[in-house]
Amino acid sequence: MSQEHDAFSVESVYAELLGRAPENKMEPRMEPMFRAMEILGEPNKAMPIIHVTGTNGKTSTARIIEALLLAHDLRVGRYTSPHLSSVTERICLDGEPVPDEVFVRIWDEIRPYLAIVDAELDEQGLVPLTYFEALTILGYAIFADAPVDVAVIEVGLGGITDATNVGDGQVSVVTPISLDHTELLGDTVRDIALEKSGIIKPGGFLVSSAQEPEAAQVLLEAARELEVPFRFQGVEFGVESRTLAVGGQSLVIQGLAGRYEDLALPLHGAHQAQNAAVAIAAMEAFLGGGQTALNEDLVRQGLENVASPGRLELIRSAPTLLVDAGHNPAGLKVSADAVKEAFGFSALVLVVGILAEKDAPAMLETLYTEYGDLVQDLCLTQSTSPRAIPAGELGEIALRAGFKEQDLYITERLDDALEWAVGRAEATGDLAGGVLVTGSITLVGEARTLLGK
């Protein structure tokens, strides 16, 4: 196949996937996923799985686990969502998006079997396989075909009825739980934790970030009921110390079975250090049941190779331009802490776009509170997603959050927003000024594309 044909073919598959119902158009269910796995010969059982859920930090944690596994010379599949620029980013083999040819070939192979499941659902008056269900099936099929030694699978939404939950995690990882997707998961941290605890499986091992008490209690009860060993950050493992370093930070981490010093992590923020500690504990649980220390040189090697695109990512300098996929109040809070710690801005221009299902008032209030006098100007804009809140509407919300009208610039076009923000940052003549693009993953993805990443 030519490259042009590959690219066209991937786009064709993506268009076909997008033609399916989105996840929020159906009732929670698992039966169609198990039926698809049965027809395909159970690719969900072809490899051990490290299953990752939580509200914030899932993708970064999954990427760190992947890097550590690769340092141990294992063949790794990683399934994460959403993507920043190409759908193939969601299904990675050995740290790279699945080759276009493989993506298209496996889709062509499984398409007839998905049609069987679709027909059965249609006969029952049910919604055919959704976009995310079909993509998850494709991910499992690609990993089984490779084959991989281990799959790192990030939950799409929740846990119990998430399409990825046809896989049984040998290690279940839970990153910090907070309020998000409340219309689907429940409006308390306890309700959301109950949903996410559904990935814990008999015979597995639970590794959790530090949690709010009500979330921690839910996870403890689930692990005890299933007689699964459980380890919590801040109790059995954690970050012992962290210092700023060029391009990231230097860490000392106490794991479940070992202590790891002089670790260079090329990511910014205390939250990423905590994600690294969770990833190391998950590795110890996976490779030695939490009883055996990892090879320290391999841990160093793995962490040094970590990247997390779209997470406080430096896109350009002079002026400094960062993109961050903070998409809920808790995510914006930890990113703000990291920005203030790592970059020392004296003035900041914010470019913000938010999707309709998110708590835009709380997000803008968080940005106002966290950045305070640091924000020189605020640009409200929108991505091309049909779910994007119109920029003008965001402007009204920003005023109610405390921002001043004279500091706002409103444009529906992201290219215009970026040009204006860079111009404003340059106009100050302050070398310590910068631009931060944040608020939604779709906005960050489109900004990276416009800026040549």
Side-chain angles (χ1 to χ4, degrees), residues 147-443:
V148 299
D149 297 318
V150 53
V152 183
I153 306 286
E154 177 191 326
V155 162
L157 187 68
I160 294 173
T161 56
D162 186 74
T164 64
N165 206 27
V166 289
D168 292 339
Q170 184 172 320
V171 179
S172 300
V173 177
V174 185
T175 66
I177 295 172
S178 60
L179 296 178
D180 199 6
H181 298 292
T182 51
E183 74 286 359
L184 297 171
L185 301 179
D187 54 12
T188 69
V189 168
R190 176 177 168 77
D191 288 343
I192 294 172
L194 281 167
E195 180 70 28
K196 294 183 185 298
S197 69
I199 72 162
I200 305 169
K201 301 293 174 61
F205 196 117
L206 169 64
V207 171
S208 175
S209 298
Q211 303 287 357
E212 294 183 26
E214 54 266 49
Q217 189 60 36
V218 167
L219 297 175
L220 279 171
E221 289 170 1
R224 284 173 177 152
E225 184 178 339
L226 296 169
E227 299 182 345
V228 167
F230 52 86
R231 303 288 185 269
F232 277 77
Q233 186 176 18
V235 182
E236 290 93 356
F237 69 93
V239 180
E240 197 170 288
S241 69
R242 51 183 290 270
T243 54
L244 292 183
V246 176
Q249 51 195 310
S250 177
L251 309 176
V252 176
I253 289 175
Q254 177 60 56
L256 301 180
R259 184 173 180 272
Y260 308 94
E261 301 180 356
D262 301 320
L263 303 176
L265 180 69
L267 304 175
H268 300 289
H271 62 297
Q272 294 289 20
Q274 290 153 9
N275 290 339
V278 170
I280 286 172
M283 279 291 293
E284 290 176 315
F286 179 71
L287 293 177
Q291 303 295 314
T292 308
L294 303 173
N295 179 299
E296 196 166 18
D297 288 337
L298 295 181
V299 173
R300 285 199 192 95
Q301 179 187 325
L303 291 191
E304 285 169 4
N305 291 327
V306 169
S308 198
R311 275 73 181 176
L312 271 190
E313 183 183 11
L314 180 64
I315 300 294
R316 58 170 286 181
S317 54
T320 299
L321 193 153
L322 301 169
V323 296
D324 185 69
H327 57 283
N328 55 44
L332 293 175
K333 168 76 170 70
V334 297
S335 290
D337 291 341
V339 166
K340 288 181 280 192
E341 174 187 76
F343 293 94
F345 292 124
S346 61
L348 195 60
V349 180
L350 289 179
V351 177
V352 178
I354 300 174
L355 298 183
E357 66 268 22
K358 299 296 182 176
D359 188 346
M363 290 173 67
L364 282 160
E365 285 167 15
T366 299
L367 288 170
Y368 181 77
T369 302
E370 292 301 321
Y371 288 105
D373 295 339
L374 197 60
V375 174
Q376 168 190 327
D377 296 288
L378 172 65
C379 177
L380 286 315
T381 187
Q382 62 198 72
S383 67
T384 57
S385 168
R387 293 148 50 212
I389 297 173
E393 191 178 320
L394 275 184
E396 295 170 12
I397 298 171
L399 291 173
R400 292 196 292 273
F403 289 100
K404 294 179 175 59
E405 189 166 4
Q406 63 265 31
D407 296 333
L408 299 189
Y409 180 72
I410 297 170
T411 174
E412 295 178 356
R413 292 177 56 97
L414 180 56
D415 54 351
D416 177 40
L418 293 171
E419 185 177 345
W420 178 85
V422 169
R424 289 296 295 160
E426 288 175 338
T428 65
D430 188 342
L431 294 177
V435 176
L436 172 64
V437 182
T438 191
S440 86
I441 296 172
T442 55
L443 187 82

